[in-house]
Amino acid sequence: QENESDLPFVSTQAPTEKRWVRICVDSDLKEGGAKMINFEKENEQVAVFRHRGGLYAIDNRCAHMGAPLCEGDVEDVGTRHLGDSNSKATDGMVECSRHHMCFNLRTGENVEGGHMKQKVYPVRVSDGDIEVEVELELDPVAPSQEPRSGEAEIDASA
């Protein structure tokens, strides 16, 4: 009789691959603004913010209760928000519009410290387009397809 621990491990998760995905044209994201892209199959949303000329990409769903961070206000962390996090005064932070939790755009950390943190994604500008690197499920019938964009894009610019 076979014991469960003797059986080979079989993953039920779809195979994935890291890919750069276009968010928008660089000039479409204004200072202090945000763009969000939804990856339905992966159940992920990524928000890209522009702060002090830099680009930052984090999980769009607030770690506290899932509110969309792309609708929040972006400002400097400043000296009063340094708390227990690894924030610098000039780092950008986004304030959740629902319960006012603030997350550092560079690190994803709650600026007041604590365990709640946003996932941070690599972001770049390539050929004039803003792109984020995400782990996407591969289509089993056509794994060599071109990278796909998310199913929906929301412009959360102020």
Side-chain angles (χ1 to χ4, degrees), residues 39-55:
F39 298 98
E40 211 166 282
K41 278 174 67 175
E42 293 77 11
N43 192 27
E44 287 190 70
Q45 293 180 359
V46 179
V48 178
F49 299 87
R50 186 180 303 275
H51 177 72
R52 291 183 170 255
L55 294 171

Side-chain angles (χ1 to χ4, degrees), residues 5-125:
S5 63
D6 296 334
L7 297 175
F9 175 76
V10 177
S11 175
T12 58
Q13 292 183 333
T16 61
E17 179 177 281
K18 283 188 177 185
R19 294 192 180 171
W20 287 97
V21 178
R22 181 186 181 277
I23 303 299
C24 64
V25 174
D26 185 36
S27 61
D28 285 350
L29 184 55
K30 305 300 180 209
E31 181 67 27
K35 295 273 187 185
M36 188 277 289
I37 190 164
N38 183 40
F39 298 98
E40 211 166 282
K41 278 174 67 175
E42 293 77 11
N43 192 27
E44 287 190 70
Q45 293 180 359
V46 179
V48 178
F49 299 87
R50 186 180 303 275
H51 177 72
R52 291 183 170 255
L55 294 171
Y56 304 91
I58 62 174
D59 184 354
N60 184 53
R61 295 183 189 117
C62 178
H64 177 230
M65 296 199 61
L69 292 177
C70 65
E71 296 175 3
D73 292 328
V74 175
E75 60 185 75
D76 283 347
V77 170
T79 54
R80 68 183 178 100
H81 287 292
L82 291 179
D84 294 329
S85 72
N86 291 320
S87 296
K88 299 174 186 168
T90 56
D91 280 349
M93 71 174 186
V94 60
E95 180 178 355
C96 179
S97 60
R98 191 170 294 161
H99 296 106
H100 308 290
M101 295 199 81
C102 297
F103 296 95
N104 183 307
L105 296 175
R106 179 179 56 84
T107 66
E109 292 178 307
N110 180 334
V111 298
E112 298 298 332
H115 69 279
M116 283 188 266
K117 184 175 179 174
Q118 297 301 118
K119 182 176 179 180
V120 175
Y121 296 86
V123 61
R124 71 181 184 188
V125 176

